[in-house]
Amino acid sequence: MKFTIGKFDAAERSVPVTFSHNGVRHRRSVNATLTDAGTYDAEATRETVAQVADGVAYKIDIGAITAEAEAG
């Protein structure tokens, strides 16, 4: 499973993430992790995204998430 984390959205307190696994690409927002002071914590967010990636990989493996249709 590979993933790319986009720019933090302070208003939504989330990051856009693109997951890639076994030829399937899946995009979704993931809640960002914030420090006790309320600022964005990139390292902790990466750990959160890695945990979400495990679930996304499983869903791809069982066919619950399939390849996105190509725009054309």
Side-chain angles (χ1 to χ4, degrees):
M1 167 64 72
K2 294 181 181 180
F3 56 83
T4 304
I5 301 172
K7 184 178 176 185
F8 172 62
D9 181 337
E12 296 294 323
R13 297 183 349 177
S14 65
V15 290
V17 181
T18 301
F19 300 93
S20 299
H21 181 67
N22 290 342
V24 175
R25 185 172 37 191
H26 176 67
R27 295 181 186 108
R28 61 165 282 193
S29 292
V30 174
N31 291 336
T33 304
L34 306 178
T35 66
D36 289 340
T39 59
Y40 175 59
D41 186 331
E43 184 177 327
T45 297
R46 183 170 178 76
E47 292 175 20
T48 299
V49 170
Q51 292 171 359
V52 172
D54 290 340
V56 171
Y58 175 75
K59 289 177 182 179
I60 289 171
D61 288 342
I62 66 168
I65 297 175
T66 58
E68 296 176 350
E70 293 293 323

